[in-house]
Amino acid sequence: LAVDDNDLRRFLTGQLGARLFRLLDDAKTNGWHVYAALYELDDDRLIDALIALGQNAHVLLSNGSQKTKPKDGNAGAALKLAGKVDLTRRMLWSAGLGHNKFLVIARSPTDPIAVWTGSTNWATTGLCTQMNNAVLVRSASLARTYLQQWQRLHDDEQTAPDGKVKHFLP
């Protein structure tokens, strides 16, 4: 499944995966900004698509809910993205589950034009082996609302149980 041009992978990602990759490619071609709030990210092709956007990719990457010893399932993706995109970690630990899965497309940081949301985790298993849904809504008004939510999540200063502010880079 990790092979980009693999027929099986193309089949499994289907129209949903093809559209998501085309959306990220369009953002790169047009010089648009993307604002992603993601719970799971481990798919190398999606990570590469975000890296290709450089500092126009604003990624808010969360961890899961962990009651005991903290474990960061997105540590690998964070290491790949660090210094290559505008990355913010949202580490909630046992305080909750940062289960966001949305992407705002904007012509500029102040001109959002569309939002992509749904059940799809940006992980290879989420993209290739789970039944998912997604919707792309081309509405500046709705995209602005999602961008405001992205900013609220970004600016949230909730701290982890160990007292560390959740915004950190690996």
Side-chain angles (χ1 to χ4, degrees), residues 13 32 86 99 107 109 112 126 129 142 151 168:
T13 62
W32 294 339
D86 173 22
H99 207 238
R107 283 187 276 252
T129 65
L142 185 62
Q151 193 64 53
F168 74 94

Side-chain angles (χ1 to χ4, degrees), residues 65-76:
S65 178
Q66 192 71 284
K67 302 282 184 205
T68 58
K69 181 180 177 187
K71 180 181 178 199
D72 180 8
N74 289 319

Side-chain angles (χ1 to χ4, degrees), residues 148-160:
Q148 290 167 349
Q149 177 63 15
W150 184 94
Q151 193 64 53
R152 281 191 291 270
L153 294 170
H154 177 272
D155 293 345
D156 177 21
E157 290 299 326
Q158 181 174 345
T159 58

Side-chain angles (χ1 to χ4, degrees), residues 14-15 38 40 45 47 54 60 75 83 95 109 120 135 146 148-149 162:
Q15 293 176 347
L38 302 173
E40 283 186 347
R45 184 162 178 229
I47 292 168
L60 185 59
T120 308
V135 60
Y146 269 84
Q148 290 167 349
Q149 177 63 15
D162 62 4

Side-chain angles (χ1 to χ4, degrees), residues 40-158:
E40 283 186 347
L41 177 61
D42 77 3
D43 186 79
D44 285 335
R45 184 162 178 229
L46 286 170
I47 292 168
D48 290 345
L50 291 169
I51 290 171
L53 291 163
Q55 293 302 305
N56 283 3
H58 310 277
V59 180
L60 185 59
L61 189 56
S62 194
N63 70 308
S65 178
Q66 192 71 284
K67 302 282 184 205
T68 58
K69 181 180 177 187
K71 180 181 178 199
D72 180 8
N74 289 319
L79 285 171
K80 292 175 185 176
L81 294 172
K84 297 176 182 138
V85 303
D86 173 22
L87 176 66
T88 301
R89 300 304 314 279
R90 186 164 189 255
M91 309 305 284
L92 300 178
W93 304 123
S94 64
L97 184 64
H99 207 238
N100 300 289
K101 304 169 191 178
F102 68 85
L103 179 76
V104 177
I105 309 300
R107 283 187 276 252
S108 74
T110 59
D111 187 16
I113 57 174
V115 64
W116 167 281
T117 189
S119 67
T120 308
N121 284 316
W122 288 36
T124 302
T125 55
L127 200 58
C128 297
T129 65
Q130 297 171 358
M131 296 297 291
N132 288 298
N133 65 66
V135 60
L136 174 63
V137 181
R138 294 179 187 276
S139 163
S141 175
L142 185 62
R144 188 168 293 104
T145 299
Y146 269 84
L147 184 56
Q148 290 167 349
Q149 177 63 15
W150 184 94
Q151 193 64 53
R152 281 191 291 270
L153 294 170
H154 177 272
D155 293 345
D156 177 21
E157 290 299 326
Q158 181 174 345

